[in-house]
């Protein structure tokens, strides 16, 4: 058998890259019986047939996986938000961050369109920049017209498998096109295929950028926290994760419980109040969702 990685899934075929070649493969019938779904990003063993197609025979263990978009084995995420048009939202940013932290995916933040922001908006963004830096996140403020920070951002992609996450209109594809102009048509096609219509299955493809692989995901829009349990949410807020062991009660959710180290840290200013409020918003959302069977 030959080893490779699925870089695209489309119309019942899994396109597996092995070395410099890519093979259109079918999955084993056994996968369907066992309810195993090969994902883009999976490392697999496959057999090559006479017509240079193949059959995926084995899926190797995953380091992580996302449900929307369906992709596996990511090593990092770049969350793209904008200073304006659409307006910056710390709540939405924290939702993206929580999703990535829950999957143990290293996260970077890029804020675009700072050249279009008012002085007041820019001052507010810079306050958030300092807060997120203090928490431990690298955060880049960029203009997509004056790309002074892009060489540093471009270096992030090398030898990594990256997901680009962010709401529609923040400039994800524009950012990628500036970093690698050859992608202009390709990212446009990916954006259309991900964003059109009401299809629940979405075309995901890993594309090569700066010696790394990138999933451009304009369809990353339904940000429910379906894969996170209440007991896991604290770990998705890194500054809370470090303090949770100091809570008096094991399993403390840092909401109504007494003698909570997280709530004390909020009162003292060690944890930012807006981050804690976002945590509570997500906690109550997870608590109120319908049980899964």
């Amino acid at each position: 058998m030959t080893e490779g990685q699925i870089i695209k899934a489309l119309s019942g075929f899994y396109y597996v890259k092995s070395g410099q070649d890519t093979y259109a493969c079918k999955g084993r019938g056994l996968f369907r019986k066992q309810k195993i779904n090969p994902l883009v990003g999976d490392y697999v063993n496959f057999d090559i047939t006479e017509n240079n197609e193949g059959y995926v025979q084995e899926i190797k263990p995953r380091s992580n996986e996302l449900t929307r978009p369906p992709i596996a084995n990511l090593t990092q995420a770049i969350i793209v938000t904008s200073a304006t048009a659409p307006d910056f939202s710390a709540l939405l940013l924290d939702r993206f961050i929580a999703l990535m932290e829950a999957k143990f995916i290293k996260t970077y933040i890029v804020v675009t369109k700072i050249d279009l922001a008012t002085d007041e908006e820019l001052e507010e963004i810079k306050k958030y920049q300092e807060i997120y830096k203090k928490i431990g996140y690298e955060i880049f403020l960029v203009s997509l017209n004056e790309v002074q920070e892009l060489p540093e951002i471009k270096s992030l992609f090398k030898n990594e498998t990256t997901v680009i996450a962010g709401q529609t209109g923040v400039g994800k594809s524009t950012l990628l096109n500036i970093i690698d102009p050859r992608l202009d048509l390709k990212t446009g096609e990916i954006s259309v295929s991900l964003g059109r219509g009401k299809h629940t299955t979405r075309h995901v493809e890993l594309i090569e950028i700066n010696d790394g692989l990138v999933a451009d995901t304009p369809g990353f829009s339904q940000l429910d926290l379906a894969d996170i349990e209440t007991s896991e949410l604290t770990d998705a807020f890194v500054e809370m994760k470090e303090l949770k062991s100091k809570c008096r009660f094991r399993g403390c959710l840092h909401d109504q419980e007494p003698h909570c180290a997280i709530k004390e840290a909020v009162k003292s200013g060690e944890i930012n109040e807006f981050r804690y409020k976002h945590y509570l918003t997500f906690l109550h959302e997870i608590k109120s969702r319908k049980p899964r069977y």
Side-chain angles (χ1 to χ4, degrees), residues 2 10-11 67 69 103 110 116 127 196 202 231 247:
T2 305
L10 188 63
S11 302
T67 304
K103 300 294 183 179
V110 175
L116 303 179
K127 288 179 183 177
R196 68 184 180 191
R202 300 184 177 196
S231 59
C247 293

XYZ file of all heavy atoms in Angstrom, residues 2 10-11 67 69 103 110 116 127 196 202 231 247:
102
model
N 0.276 2.356 -0.475
C 0.975 3.635 -0.579
C 0.412 4.597 0.462
O -0.786 4.586 0.752
C 0.789 4.222 -1.991
O 1.219 3.267 -2.961
C 1.600 5.497 -2.156
N -14.576 15.320 -3.238
C -15.557 15.895 -4.151
C -16.216 14.793 -4.961
O -15.537 13.931 -5.527
C -14.867 16.898 -5.093
C -15.764 17.741 -6.005
C -16.672 18.652 -5.186
C -14.913 18.577 -6.959
N -17.546 14.814 -4.981
C -18.339 13.894 -5.814
C -17.987 12.429 -5.592
O -17.888 11.649 -6.552
C -18.168 14.261 -7.300
O -18.562 15.593 -7.537
N -15.876 19.779 12.514
C -17.119 19.331 11.881
C -17.490 20.225 10.704
O -17.861 19.754 9.641
C -18.269 19.328 12.906
O -17.889 18.509 14.014
C -19.546 18.784 12.294
N -15.697 23.485 8.829
C -15.685 22.563 7.690
C -15.162 21.199 8.107
O -14.384 21.096 9.065
C -14.713 23.241 6.707
C -13.748 23.946 7.608
C -14.557 24.445 8.761
N -9.944 22.135 20.230
C -9.349 21.109 19.369
C -7.822 21.112 19.459
O -7.149 20.437 18.678
C -9.768 21.349 17.915
C -11.267 21.298 17.684
C -11.834 19.913 17.930
C -13.321 19.866 17.619
N -13.891 18.520 17.829
N -5.599 37.855 12.955
C -5.288 38.927 12.015
C -6.496 39.853 11.924
O -7.614 39.406 11.653
C -4.959 38.374 10.609
C -4.760 39.522 9.618
C -3.712 37.494 10.648
N -9.229 51.534 7.046
C -10.592 52.033 6.859
C -11.263 52.406 8.176
O -12.366 52.958 8.185
C -11.445 50.968 6.144
C -10.930 50.482 4.787
C -11.869 49.429 4.217
C -10.772 51.648 3.813
N -6.515 48.489 21.876
C -6.732 48.045 23.258
C -6.942 46.532 23.291
O -6.378 45.830 24.128
C -7.940 48.764 23.859
C -7.701 50.230 24.176
C -8.960 50.866 24.757
C -8.750 52.359 25.019
N -10.010 52.994 25.521
N -22.009 29.101 -1.763
C -23.245 29.232 -2.521
C -24.347 28.319 -1.992
O -24.089 27.284 -1.386
C -22.987 28.896 -3.997
C -22.668 27.426 -4.232
C -22.328 27.168 -5.684
N -22.026 25.750 -5.878
C -21.500 25.264 -6.974
N -21.193 26.049 -7.977
N -21.267 23.960 -7.083
N -20.022 20.571 1.906
C -19.243 21.682 1.367
C -17.908 21.184 0.856
O -17.262 20.363 1.492
C -19.045 22.746 2.445
C -20.384 23.281 2.942
C -20.201 24.386 3.928
N -21.505 24.922 4.325
C -21.680 26.061 4.936
N -20.650 26.818 5.230
N -22.881 26.479 5.268
N -17.801 20.842 30.586
C -16.585 20.550 31.351
C -15.314 20.896 30.595
O -14.235 21.003 31.189
C -16.554 19.062 31.737
O -16.586 18.240 30.570
N -9.886 26.569 42.101
C -11.273 26.599 42.562
C -11.454 25.545 43.663
O -10.854 24.470 43.606
C -12.232 26.304 41.404
S -12.260 27.586 40.129
